[in-house]
Amino acid sequence: MLSVETLNASYGTVPVLEDVSFALEPGEVVALLGRNGVGKTTLLRALMGLIPSREGKVHLDGTSIGSAPAHAIARLGMALVPQGRGILGKLSVADNIRAGTRAAGAREALSIDDAIAPFPMLKEKLAERAVTLSGGQQQQLAIARALVCRPKVMLLDEPSEGVQPNIVTEIGKLIRELSDRTKLAVLLVEQNIGLALATADRCLVMEKGRLVHAGPADEFRNDAVLKRYLAL
Amino acid sequence: MPVKGFAVYFELVLNIATTVSVLMLIALGLAIVFGLMNILNMAHGELVTVGAFTVSLVQVNGGSFWLGVVAAMAVGAALGVLLERGLIRFLYDRPMGVILVTWGVSLIIQQGLLLSFGPSPQIVYTPVEGSIEFFDSAYPRYRLVLIVAAFLTVAVTGLIMARTRFGLDLRTVIQNREVAEILGIDTRRVFMIAFAGSSALAALAGALVAPMTKIVPTMGAEYLAPSFFVVIVGGAGSLAGTVAGSTLIGGLRTVLDYQVPSTLSQALVLIAAVLVVRLRPRGLVPA
């Protein structure tokens, strides 16, 4: 569904991603692990087209995304739920989701009701300004907004950040269930190792802008492995 | 006597409404480019001038006033696209560059019009002749047309912002350009259309005020400063603020003009604007 070959990216002259290669299959959830500042968020941003100076081959469902701008990549079926959620606080909850339908491209967008169906809490808040939502509700809104266009690949950056634990568990279950049901491929950046392992099929480990290890999620349930790659 | 007194007040109200309408029309486009998109377009006044000149040109060539208004909007929009595509899009993250470049453009337009049309005023005939009688005093009919047109323009712009697909795209881009891109919105296209739209609004303003003002190449420059006051006092980024700002600045100006010399009233209005911004830094109706 998503194939990345020798992706390089830099901020000015400083390289931030070096020869990153991996692939995501439909219906697969992959967790991207690594310490702070190793380039996980940068990788998601580069895939989304938000870092202009990038090189390498990235194919989304067979189509090369080359040097396309972010909105074109979104229309091809890549959805990013950014760190900090990127909620448009001054717009209503419904308008946030409506704005999300712009990424539909050739696909047919879901109705707003269908998009928030997994999040009953949002239903009563549709007309309210998004800034009035709690952290967990904003995260749910960000995910609903990403899903409204039925993307093929979803990039999730720290969905558990600033969200209460019971909602974190719910979000994890939802990602798993969605991926199984709709064959959505998910790349998950997550500091909460419990959530990452409960959700993912595989894990990738990043160090200093490179992918240094890949393995099934079960491998990381071992303290020695965690210590070696993540210093946990 | 009481009837006469009432007539004076009625005329005052109409005069206020006229001044407010003119300000509102001219500030509306600025409210979008400056208030919402944060572009300090120093050539906004010249787009107003171009609107007035276009109407004059259409009338000279036998077209009607209203055809001229439509032509003015088309010319304004085309100039807007040219400005945005040719210059401003390269400078979105360099605000000082935008000020200098648009100032340069304003000089080029002013001098270009001066060279082509000369310094003597152009003529635009009002489409609605005559006056209307109110309690023994006469009021030009065209001014009433202008007031209605101004409020209609603001209402339509508000509806486009609040209800249309493009309006939502623009509100999204203004709040967070990167998120808008992630959501699949072509932000460069949205900025271009918004800039063209606000340029068309400026030209529309120029076309509508043309029958009641002296049409010279420098006419727009005189509107630039008051329009910025309106947007800042009203609250950058809010259309309701533009209406409130125009009402305060225009209303005060008209009332003071009855009592004190024009230069003093200008100064007093400026002081009032400074006070409002001191007390309400985000404007009368913040976004």
Side-chain angles (χ1 to χ4, degrees), chain A residues 45 50 70-71 74-75 80 86 88-91 95 98-99 102-103 145, chain B residues 164-166 168-169 171-172 175-176 178-179 181-187 287:
Chain A
R45 291 175 56 82
L50 296 170
H71 68 265
R75 289 176 193 177
L80 169 65
L88 304 157
K90 289 179 190 168
L91 300 190
D95 275 348
R98 215 166 274 133
R102 303 301 190 250
R145 190 177 66 179
Chain B
T164 64
R165 184 186 163 95
F166 175 75
L168 177 59
D169 285 0
R171 283 181 291 144
T172 304
Q175 267 199 56
N176 192 325
E178 185 170 295
V179 167
E181 275 284 326
I182 293 173
L183 297 180
I185 296 172
D186 185 347
T187 58

PDB file of all heavy atoms in Angstrom, chain A residues 45 50 70-71 74-75 80 86 88-91 95 98-99 102-103 145, chain B residues 164-166 168-169 171-172 175-176 178-179 181-187 287:
ATOM      1  N   ARG A  45       6.141  13.681   8.413  1.00  0.00           N
ATOM      2  CA  ARG A  45       5.975  14.940   7.673  1.00  0.00           C
ATOM      3  C   ARG A  45       6.532  14.836   6.249  1.00  0.00           C
ATOM      4  O   ARG A  45       5.953  15.373   5.316  1.00  0.00           O
ATOM      5  CB  ARG A  45       6.636  16.098   8.428  1.00  0.00           C
ATOM      6  CG  ARG A  45       5.904  16.453   9.730  1.00  0.00           C
ATOM      7  CD  ARG A  45       6.658  17.518  10.524  1.00  0.00           C
ATOM      8  NE  ARG A  45       6.885  18.714   9.740  1.00  0.00           N
ATOM      9  CZ  ARG A  45       5.993  19.681   9.554  1.00  0.00           C
ATOM     10  NH1 ARG A  45       4.819  19.599  10.133  1.00  0.00           N
ATOM     11  NH2 ARG A  45       6.279  20.723   8.807  1.00  0.00           N
ATOM     12  N   LEU A  50       5.328  17.540   3.589  1.00  0.00           N
ATOM     13  CA  LEU A  50       5.486  18.822   4.283  1.00  0.00           C
ATOM     14  C   LEU A  50       6.941  19.260   4.384  1.00  0.00           C
ATOM     15  O   LEU A  50       7.227  20.363   4.843  1.00  0.00           O
ATOM     16  CB  LEU A  50       4.857  18.753   5.686  1.00  0.00           C
ATOM     17  CG  LEU A  50       3.343  18.543   5.691  1.00  0.00           C
ATOM     18  CD1 LEU A  50       2.849  18.251   7.100  1.00  0.00           C
ATOM     19  CD2 LEU A  50       2.621  19.755   5.125  1.00  0.00           C
ATOM     20  N   ALA A  70       1.612  18.737  -0.420  1.00  0.00           N
ATOM     21  CA  ALA A  70       0.872  17.973   0.588  1.00  0.00           C
ATOM     22  C   ALA A  70      -0.591  17.737   0.203  1.00  0.00           C
ATOM     23  O   ALA A  70      -1.107  16.637   0.383  1.00  0.00           O
ATOM     24  CB  ALA A  70       0.959  18.675   1.939  1.00  0.00           C
ATOM     25  N   HIS A  71      -1.263  18.778  -0.349  1.00  0.00           N
ATOM     26  CA  HIS A  71      -2.690  18.580  -0.617  1.00  0.00           C
ATOM     27  C   HIS A  71      -2.910  17.520  -1.691  1.00  0.00           C
ATOM     28  O   HIS A  71      -3.898  16.778  -1.641  1.00  0.00           O
ATOM     29  CB  HIS A  71      -3.368  19.902  -0.989  1.00  0.00           C
ATOM     30  CG  HIS A  71      -2.938  20.467  -2.302  1.00  0.00           C
ATOM     31  ND1 HIS A  71      -1.939  21.400  -2.410  1.00  0.00           N
ATOM     32  CD2 HIS A  71      -3.357  20.204  -3.560  1.00  0.00           C
ATOM     33  CE1 HIS A  71      -1.777  21.701  -3.691  1.00  0.00           C
ATOM     34  NE2 HIS A  71      -2.608  20.988  -4.404  1.00  0.00           N
ATOM     35  N   ALA A  74      -2.500  14.200   0.000  1.00  0.00           N
ATOM     36  CA  ALA A  74      -3.712  13.914   0.778  1.00  0.00           C
ATOM     37  C   ALA A  74      -4.805  13.368  -0.134  1.00  0.00           C
ATOM     38  O   ALA A  74      -5.498  12.407   0.199  1.00  0.00           O
ATOM     39  CB  ALA A  74      -4.197  15.176   1.492  1.00  0.00           C
ATOM     40  N   ARG A  75      -4.939  13.961  -1.322  1.00  0.00           N
ATOM     41  CA  ARG A  75      -6.004  13.525  -2.235  1.00  0.00           C
ATOM     42  C   ARG A  75      -5.738  12.129  -2.795  1.00  0.00           C
ATOM     43  O   ARG A  75      -6.661  11.431  -3.203  1.00  0.00           O
ATOM     44  CB  ARG A  75      -6.162  14.525  -3.379  1.00  0.00           C
ATOM     45  CG  ARG A  75      -6.792  15.828  -2.883  1.00  0.00           C
ATOM     46  CD  ARG A  75      -6.857  16.860  -3.969  1.00  0.00           C
ATOM     47  NE  ARG A  75      -7.168  18.165  -3.410  1.00  0.00           N
ATOM     48  CZ  ARG A  75      -7.221  19.280  -4.142  1.00  0.00           C
ATOM     49  NH1 ARG A  75      -7.001  19.235  -5.432  1.00  0.00           N
ATOM     50  NH2 ARG A  75      -7.513  20.436  -3.567  1.00  0.00           N
ATOM     51  N   LEU A  80      -2.722  12.387   7.520  1.00  0.00           N
ATOM     52  CA  LEU A  80      -1.833  12.589   8.673  1.00  0.00           C
ATOM     53  C   LEU A  80      -2.635  13.190   9.817  1.00  0.00           C
ATOM     54  O   LEU A  80      -3.337  14.179   9.640  1.00  0.00           O
ATOM     55  CB  LEU A  80      -0.692  13.544   8.290  1.00  0.00           C
ATOM     56  CG  LEU A  80       0.179  14.084   9.440  1.00  0.00           C
ATOM     57  CD1 LEU A  80       0.958  12.967  10.119  1.00  0.00           C
ATOM     58  CD2 LEU A  80       1.146  15.157   8.942  1.00  0.00           C
ATOM     59  N   GLY A  86      -3.744  19.404  15.365  1.00  0.00           N
ATOM     60  CA  GLY A  86      -4.095  20.297  14.262  1.00  0.00           C
ATOM     61  C   GLY A  86      -5.575  20.600  14.148  1.00  0.00           C
ATOM     62  O   GLY A  86      -6.101  20.764  13.051  1.00  0.00           O
ATOM     63  N   LEU A  88      -8.829  22.821  14.128  1.00  0.00           N
ATOM     64  CA  LEU A  88      -9.114  24.217  13.789  1.00  0.00           C
ATOM     65  C   LEU A  88     -10.100  24.738  14.834  1.00  0.00           C
ATOM     66  O   LEU A  88     -11.307  24.542  14.716  1.00  0.00           O
ATOM     67  CB  LEU A  88      -9.681  24.303  12.377  1.00  0.00           C
ATOM     68  CG  LEU A  88      -8.754  23.662  11.334  1.00  0.00           C
ATOM     69  CD1 LEU A  88      -9.509  23.241  10.094  1.00  0.00           C
ATOM     70  CD2 LEU A  88      -7.620  24.609  10.988  1.00  0.00           C
ATOM     71  N   GLY A  89      -9.559  25.383  15.867  1.00  0.00           N
ATOM     72  CA  GLY A  89     -10.344  25.714  17.056  1.00  0.00           C
ATOM     73  C   GLY A  89     -11.507  26.647  16.805  1.00  0.00           C
ATOM     74  O   GLY A  89     -12.543  26.556  17.462  1.00  0.00           O
ATOM     75  N   LYS A  90     -11.350  27.554  15.838  1.00  0.00           N
ATOM     76  CA  LYS A  90     -12.412  28.542  15.622  1.00  0.00           C
ATOM     77  C   LYS A  90     -13.547  27.991  14.776  1.00  0.00           C
ATOM     78  O   LYS A  90     -14.598  28.610  14.673  1.00  0.00           O
ATOM     79  CB  LYS A  90     -11.836  29.779  14.924  1.00  0.00           C
ATOM     80  CG  LYS A  90     -10.933  30.602  15.817  1.00  0.00           C
ATOM     81  CD  LYS A  90     -10.404  31.779  15.025  1.00  0.00           C
ATOM     82  CE  LYS A  90      -9.304  32.497  15.791  1.00  0.00           C
ATOM     83  NZ  LYS A  90      -8.607  33.441  14.901  1.00  0.00           N
ATOM     84  N   LEU A  91     -13.308  26.855  14.132  1.00  0.00           N
ATOM     85  CA  LEU A  91     -14.376  26.255  13.331  1.00  0.00           C
ATOM     86  C   LEU A  91     -15.186  25.295  14.198  1.00  0.00           C
ATOM     87  O   LEU A  91     -14.693  24.780  15.189  1.00  0.00           O
ATOM     88  CB  LEU A  91     -13.807  25.479  12.143  1.00  0.00           C
ATOM     89  CG  LEU A  91     -12.969  26.240  11.118  1.00  0.00           C
ATOM     90  CD1 LEU A  91     -12.720  25.348   9.909  1.00  0.00           C
ATOM     91  CD2 LEU A  91     -13.636  27.512  10.689  1.00  0.00           C
ATOM     92  N   ASP A  95     -17.615  21.607  10.858  1.00  0.00           N
ATOM     93  CA  ASP A  95     -16.806  22.242   9.805  1.00  0.00           C
ATOM     94  C   ASP A  95     -15.399  21.652   9.749  1.00  0.00           C
ATOM     95  O   ASP A  95     -14.804  21.566   8.674  1.00  0.00           O
ATOM     96  CB  ASP A  95     -16.720  23.758  10.024  1.00  0.00           C
ATOM     97  CG  ASP A  95     -17.916  24.485   9.413  1.00  0.00           C
ATOM     98  OD1 ASP A  95     -18.660  23.841   8.639  1.00  0.00           O
ATOM     99  OD2 ASP A  95     -18.104  25.678   9.710  1.00  0.00           O
ATOM    100  N   ARG A  98     -15.941  18.646   7.764  1.00  0.00           N
ATOM    101  CA  ARG A  98     -16.270  19.048   6.394  1.00  0.00           C
ATOM    102  C   ARG A  98     -14.994  19.461   5.648  1.00  0.00           C
ATOM    103  O   ARG A  98     -14.806  19.121   4.481  1.00  0.00           O
ATOM    104  CB  ARG A  98     -17.263  20.205   6.438  1.00  0.00           C
ATOM    105  CG  ARG A  98     -18.262  20.188   5.319  1.00  0.00           C
ATOM    106  CD  ARG A  98     -19.413  21.149   5.593  1.00  0.00           C
ATOM    107  NE  ARG A  98     -20.472  20.558   6.386  1.00  0.00           N
ATOM    108  CZ  ARG A  98     -21.050  21.137   7.448  1.00  0.00           C
ATOM    109  NH1 ARG A  98     -20.625  22.317   7.862  1.00  0.00           N
ATOM    110  NH2 ARG A  98     -22.017  20.534   8.095  1.00  0.00           N
ATOM    111  N   ALA A  99     -14.114  20.212   6.332  1.00  0.00           N
ATOM    112  CA  ALA A  99     -12.853  20.630   5.704  1.00  0.00           C
ATOM    113  C   ALA A  99     -12.042  19.387   5.331  1.00  0.00           C
ATOM    114  O   ALA A  99     -11.349  19.360   4.312  1.00  0.00           O
ATOM    115  CB  ALA A  99     -12.063  21.548   6.630  1.00  0.00           C
ATOM    116  N   ARG A 102     -12.107  17.585   1.791  1.00  0.00           N
ATOM    117  CA  ARG A 102     -11.408  18.114   0.612  1.00  0.00           C
ATOM    118  C   ARG A 102     -10.364  17.134   0.091  1.00  0.00           C
ATOM    119  O   ARG A 102      -9.886  17.273  -1.030  1.00  0.00           O
ATOM    120  CB  ARG A 102     -10.716  19.439   0.935  1.00  0.00           C
ATOM    121  CG  ARG A 102     -11.637  20.499   1.471  1.00  0.00           C
ATOM    122  CD  ARG A 102     -12.754  20.833   0.492  1.00  0.00           C
ATOM    123  NE  ARG A 102     -13.469  22.023   0.939  1.00  0.00           N
ATOM    124  CZ  ARG A 102     -14.708  22.029   1.404  1.00  0.00           C
ATOM    125  NH1 ARG A 102     -15.397  20.913   1.475  1.00  0.00           N
ATOM    126  NH2 ARG A 102     -15.274  23.156   1.785  1.00  0.00           N
ATOM    127  N   ALA A 103      -9.989  16.168   0.928  1.00  0.00           N
ATOM    128  CA  ALA A 103      -8.965  15.226   0.502  1.00  0.00           C
ATOM    129  C   ALA A 103      -9.563  14.044  -0.256  1.00  0.00           C
ATOM    130  O   ALA A 103      -8.866  13.095  -0.573  1.00  0.00           O
ATOM    131  CB  ALA A 103      -8.182  14.727   1.719  1.00  0.00           C
ATOM    132  N   ARG A 145     -11.712  13.277  11.325  1.00  0.00           N
ATOM    133  CA  ARG A 145     -11.462  14.177  10.199  1.00  0.00           C
ATOM    134  C   ARG A 145     -10.524  13.528   9.176  1.00  0.00           C
ATOM    135  O   ARG A 145     -10.656  13.734   7.972  1.00  0.00           O
ATOM    136  CB  ARG A 145     -10.853  15.465  10.746  1.00  0.00           C
ATOM    137  CG  ARG A 145     -10.751  16.583   9.748  1.00  0.00           C
ATOM    138  CD  ARG A 145     -10.207  17.833  10.394  1.00  0.00           C
ATOM    139  NE  ARG A 145      -8.830  17.645  10.826  1.00  0.00           N
ATOM    140  CZ  ARG A 145      -8.097  18.595  11.415  1.00  0.00           C
ATOM    141  NH1 ARG A 145      -8.630  19.764  11.657  1.00  0.00           N
ATOM    142  NH2 ARG A 145      -6.863  18.357  11.778  1.00  0.00           N
TER     143      ARG A 145
ATOM    144  N   THR B 164     -20.260  28.963   1.918  1.00  0.00           N
ATOM    145  CA  THR B 164     -19.860  28.253   0.708  1.00  0.00           C
ATOM    146  C   THR B 164     -18.660  27.351   0.968  1.00  0.00           C
ATOM    147  O   THR B 164     -17.973  27.475   1.993  1.00  0.00           O
ATOM    148  CB  THR B 164     -19.473  29.226  -0.420  1.00  0.00           C
ATOM    149  OG1 THR B 164     -18.323  29.948   0.006  1.00  0.00           O
ATOM    150  CG2 THR B 164     -20.589  30.195  -0.740  1.00  0.00           C
ATOM    151  N   ARG B 165     -18.443  26.479   0.029  1.00  0.00           N
ATOM    152  CA  ARG B 165     -17.300  25.577   0.067  1.00  0.00           C
ATOM    153  C   ARG B 165     -16.000  26.385   0.090  1.00  0.00           C
ATOM    154  O   ARG B 165     -15.101  26.136   0.887  1.00  0.00           O
ATOM    155  CB  ARG B 165     -17.357  24.698  -1.188  1.00  0.00           C
ATOM    156  CG  ARG B 165     -16.310  23.646  -1.250  1.00  0.00           C
ATOM    157  CD  ARG B 165     -16.362  22.938  -2.611  1.00  0.00           C
ATOM    158  NE  ARG B 165     -15.133  22.230  -2.784  1.00  0.00           N
ATOM    159  CZ  ARG B 165     -14.961  20.936  -2.472  1.00  0.00           C
ATOM    160  NH1 ARG B 165     -15.956  20.242  -2.021  1.00  0.00           N
ATOM    161  NH2 ARG B 165     -13.792  20.360  -2.619  1.00  0.00           N
ATOM    162  N   PHE B 166     -15.939  27.411  -0.780  1.00  0.00           N
ATOM    163  CA  PHE B 166     -14.737  28.229  -0.816  1.00  0.00           C
ATOM    164  C   PHE B 166     -14.538  28.964   0.506  1.00  0.00           C
ATOM    165  O   PHE B 166     -13.408  29.089   0.999  1.00  0.00           O
ATOM    166  CB  PHE B 166     -14.792  29.240  -1.967  1.00  0.00           C
ATOM    167  CG  PHE B 166     -13.616  30.171  -1.948  1.00  0.00           C
ATOM    168  CD1 PHE B 166     -12.372  29.731  -2.367  1.00  0.00           C
ATOM    169  CD2 PHE B 166     -13.740  31.468  -1.452  1.00  0.00           C
ATOM    170  CE1 PHE B 166     -11.270  30.567  -2.307  1.00  0.00           C
ATOM    171  CE2 PHE B 166     -12.639  32.305  -1.386  1.00  0.00           C
ATOM    172  CZ  PHE B 166     -11.398  31.856  -1.818  1.00  0.00           C
ATOM    173  N   LEU B 168     -15.346  28.014   3.523  1.00  0.00           N
ATOM    174  CA  LEU B 168     -14.777  27.098   4.515  1.00  0.00           C
ATOM    175  C   LEU B 168     -13.299  26.852   4.228  1.00  0.00           C
ATOM    176  O   LEU B 168     -12.470  26.835   5.141  1.00  0.00           O
ATOM    177  CB  LEU B 168     -15.555  25.776   4.528  1.00  0.00           C
ATOM    178  CG  LEU B 168     -15.020  24.708   5.481  1.00  0.00           C
ATOM    179  CD1 LEU B 168     -15.021  25.208   6.923  1.00  0.00           C
ATOM    180  CD2 LEU B 168     -15.833  23.422   5.384  1.00  0.00           C
ATOM    181  N   ASP B 169     -12.963  26.683   2.939  1.00  0.00           N
ATOM    182  CA  ASP B 169     -11.560  26.491   2.575  1.00  0.00           C
ATOM    183  C   ASP B 169     -10.729  27.678   3.057  1.00  0.00           C
ATOM    184  O   ASP B 169      -9.667  27.520   3.655  1.00  0.00           O
ATOM    185  CB  ASP B 169     -11.407  26.364   1.052  1.00  0.00           C
ATOM    186  CG  ASP B 169     -11.868  25.007   0.545  1.00  0.00           C
ATOM    187  OD1 ASP B 169     -12.291  24.191   1.372  1.00  0.00           O
ATOM    188  OD2 ASP B 169     -11.802  24.773  -0.665  1.00  0.00           O
ATOM    189  N   ARG B 171     -11.447  29.916   5.421  1.00  0.00           N
ATOM    190  CA  ARG B 171     -11.361  29.998   6.894  1.00  0.00           C
ATOM    191  C   ARG B 171     -10.365  28.960   7.422  1.00  0.00           C
ATOM    192  O   ARG B 171      -9.658  29.204   8.393  1.00  0.00           O
ATOM    193  CB  ARG B 171     -12.748  29.796   7.520  1.00  0.00           C
ATOM    194  CG  ARG B 171     -13.627  31.058   7.396  1.00  0.00           C
ATOM    195  CD  ARG B 171     -14.970  30.858   8.043  1.00  0.00           C
ATOM    196  NE  ARG B 171     -15.789  29.902   7.318  1.00  0.00           N
ATOM    197  CZ  ARG B 171     -16.616  29.034   7.905  1.00  0.00           C
ATOM    198  NH1 ARG B 171     -16.731  28.986   9.210  1.00  0.00           N
ATOM    199  NH2 ARG B 171     -17.314  28.199   7.176  1.00  0.00           N
ATOM    200  N   THR B 172     -10.310  27.811   6.780  1.00  0.00           N
ATOM    201  CA  THR B 172      -9.367  26.774   7.200  1.00  0.00           C
ATOM    202  C   THR B 172      -7.926  27.222   6.934  1.00  0.00           C
ATOM    203  O   THR B 172      -7.062  27.132   7.804  1.00  0.00           O
ATOM    204  CB  THR B 172      -9.652  25.458   6.442  1.00  0.00           C
ATOM    205  OG1 THR B 172     -11.003  25.097   6.670  1.00  0.00           O
ATOM    206  CG2 THR B 172      -8.754  24.340   6.919  1.00  0.00           C
ATOM    207  N   GLN B 175      -6.736  29.853   9.372  1.00  0.00           N
ATOM    208  CA  GLN B 175      -6.438  29.378  10.724  1.00  0.00           C
ATOM    209  C   GLN B 175      -5.139  28.607  10.795  1.00  0.00           C
ATOM    210  O   GLN B 175      -4.387  28.719  11.755  1.00  0.00           O
ATOM    211  CB  GLN B 175      -7.560  28.482  11.219  1.00  0.00           C
ATOM    212  CG  GLN B 175      -8.567  29.257  11.988  1.00  0.00           C
ATOM    213  CD  GLN B 175      -9.393  28.343  12.847  1.00  0.00           C
ATOM    214  OE1 GLN B 175      -8.901  27.585  13.666  1.00  0.00           O
ATOM    215  NE2 GLN B 175     -10.672  28.415  12.640  1.00  0.00           N
ATOM    216  N   ASN B 176      -4.910  27.759   9.801  1.00  0.00           N
ATOM    217  CA  ASN B 176      -3.708  26.943   9.861  1.00  0.00           C
ATOM    218  C   ASN B 176      -3.403  26.420   8.468  1.00  0.00           C
ATOM    219  O   ASN B 176      -4.023  25.477   7.983  1.00  0.00           O
ATOM    220  CB  ASN B 176      -3.902  25.773  10.828  1.00  0.00           C
ATOM    221  CG  ASN B 176      -2.603  25.078  11.144  1.00  0.00           C
ATOM    222  OD1 ASN B 176      -1.720  24.969  10.289  1.00  0.00           O
ATOM    223  ND2 ASN B 176      -2.477  24.593  12.357  1.00  0.00           N
ATOM    224  N   GLU B 178      -0.829  24.862   7.198  1.00  0.00           N
ATOM    225  CA  GLU B 178      -0.291  23.510   7.061  1.00  0.00           C
ATOM    226  C   GLU B 178      -1.382  22.458   7.220  1.00  0.00           C
ATOM    227  O   GLU B 178      -1.449  21.498   6.453  1.00  0.00           O
ATOM    228  CB  GLU B 178       0.826  23.300   8.085  1.00  0.00           C
ATOM    229  CG  GLU B 178       1.510  21.966   7.909  1.00  0.00           C
ATOM    230  CD  GLU B 178       2.769  21.858   8.745  1.00  0.00           C
ATOM    231  OE1 GLU B 178       3.713  22.613   8.495  1.00  0.00           O
ATOM    232  OE2 GLU B 178       2.786  21.019   9.669  1.00  0.00           O
ATOM    233  N   VAL B 179      -2.242  22.657   8.224  1.00  0.00           N
ATOM    234  CA  VAL B 179      -3.340  21.702   8.420  1.00  0.00           C
ATOM    235  C   VAL B 179      -4.249  21.701   7.192  1.00  0.00           C
ATOM    236  O   VAL B 179      -4.693  20.647   6.737  1.00  0.00           O
ATOM    237  CB  VAL B 179      -4.128  22.019   9.715  1.00  0.00           C
ATOM    238  CG1 VAL B 179      -5.431  21.244   9.756  1.00  0.00           C
ATOM    239  CG2 VAL B 179      -3.283  21.693  10.939  1.00  0.00           C
ATOM    240  N   GLU B 181      -3.427  22.162   4.135  1.00  0.00           N
ATOM    241  CA  GLU B 181      -2.755  21.337   3.114  1.00  0.00           C
ATOM    242  C   GLU B 181      -2.960  19.855   3.406  1.00  0.00           C
ATOM    243  O   GLU B 181      -3.281  19.070   2.516  1.00  0.00           O
ATOM    244  CB  GLU B 181      -1.254  21.636   3.085  1.00  0.00           C
ATOM    245  CG  GLU B 181      -0.862  22.820   2.224  1.00  0.00           C
ATOM    246  CD  GLU B 181      -0.881  22.498   0.723  1.00  0.00           C
ATOM    247  OE1 GLU B 181      -0.572  21.374   0.341  1.00  0.00           O
ATOM    248  OE2 GLU B 181      -1.221  23.405  -0.054  1.00  0.00           O
ATOM    249  N   ILE B 182      -2.752  19.479   4.685  1.00  0.00           N
ATOM    250  CA  ILE B 182      -2.904  18.071   5.079  1.00  0.00           C
ATOM    251  C   ILE B 182      -4.308  17.578   4.749  1.00  0.00           C
ATOM    252  O   ILE B 182      -4.510  16.434   4.370  1.00  0.00           O
ATOM    253  CB  ILE B 182      -2.652  17.907   6.603  1.00  0.00           C
ATOM    254  CG1 ILE B 182      -1.201  18.182   6.947  1.00  0.00           C
ATOM    255  CG2 ILE B 182      -3.056  16.521   7.064  1.00  0.00           C
ATOM    256  CD1 ILE B 182      -0.954  18.201   8.438  1.00  0.00           C
ATOM    257  N   LEU B 183      -5.292  18.490   4.904  1.00  0.00           N
ATOM    258  CA  LEU B 183      -6.678  18.089   4.674  1.00  0.00           C
ATOM    259  C   LEU B 183      -7.026  18.064   3.186  1.00  0.00           C
ATOM    260  O   LEU B 183      -8.162  17.784   2.820  1.00  0.00           O
ATOM    261  CB  LEU B 183      -7.632  19.038   5.407  1.00  0.00           C
ATOM    262  CG  LEU B 183      -7.500  19.035   6.930  1.00  0.00           C
ATOM    263  CD1 LEU B 183      -8.487  19.996   7.553  1.00  0.00           C
ATOM    264  CD2 LEU B 183      -7.715  17.632   7.490  1.00  0.00           C
ATOM    265  N   GLY B 184      -6.051  18.393   2.329  1.00  0.00           N
ATOM    266  CA  GLY B 184      -6.314  18.282   0.897  1.00  0.00           C
ATOM    267  C   GLY B 184      -6.709  19.593   0.245  1.00  0.00           C
ATOM    268  O   GLY B 184      -7.165  19.606  -0.900  1.00  0.00           O
ATOM    269  N   ILE B 185      -6.540  20.707   0.961  1.00  0.00           N
ATOM    270  CA  ILE B 185      -6.904  22.010   0.379  1.00  0.00           C
ATOM    271  C   ILE B 185      -5.677  22.598  -0.315  1.00  0.00           C
ATOM    272  O   ILE B 185      -4.600  22.685   0.280  1.00  0.00           O
ATOM    273  CB  ILE B 185      -7.423  22.966   1.472  1.00  0.00           C
ATOM    274  CG1 ILE B 185      -8.710  22.406   2.073  1.00  0.00           C
ATOM    275  CG2 ILE B 185      -7.657  24.367   0.898  1.00  0.00           C
ATOM    276  CD1 ILE B 185      -9.198  23.157   3.282  1.00  0.00           C
ATOM    277  N   ASP B 186      -5.859  22.996  -1.562  1.00  0.00           N
ATOM    278  CA  ASP B 186      -4.770  23.616  -2.321  1.00  0.00           C
ATOM    279  C   ASP B 186      -4.658  25.066  -1.837  1.00  0.00           C
ATOM    280  O   ASP B 186      -5.346  25.950  -2.334  1.00  0.00           O
ATOM    281  CB  ASP B 186      -5.104  23.544  -3.812  1.00  0.00           C
ATOM    282  CG  ASP B 186      -3.964  24.068  -4.672  1.00  0.00           C
ATOM    283  OD1 ASP B 186      -3.045  24.705  -4.121  1.00  0.00           O
ATOM    284  OD2 ASP B 186      -4.004  23.838  -5.887  1.00  0.00           O
ATOM    285  N   THR B 187      -3.778  25.290  -0.855  1.00  0.00           N
ATOM    286  CA  THR B 187      -3.772  26.594  -0.178  1.00  0.00           C
ATOM    287  C   THR B 187      -3.311  27.713  -1.107  1.00  0.00           C
ATOM    288  O   THR B 187      -3.749  28.846  -0.965  1.00  0.00           O
ATOM    289  CB  THR B 187      -2.869  26.562   1.067  1.00  0.00           C
ATOM    290  OG1 THR B 187      -1.544  26.202   0.666  1.00  0.00           O
ATOM    291  CG2 THR B 187      -3.349  25.554   2.066  1.00  0.00           C
ATOM    292  N   ALA B 287     -12.073  38.710  15.941  1.00  0.00           N
ATOM    293  CA  ALA B 287     -12.407  37.498  15.188  1.00  0.00           C
ATOM    294  C   ALA B 287     -12.494  36.305  16.124  1.00  0.00           C
ATOM    295  O   ALA B 287     -11.745  36.204  17.069  1.00  0.00           O
ATOM    296  CB  ALA B 287     -11.351  37.251  14.133  1.00  0.00           C
TER     297      ALA B 287
END
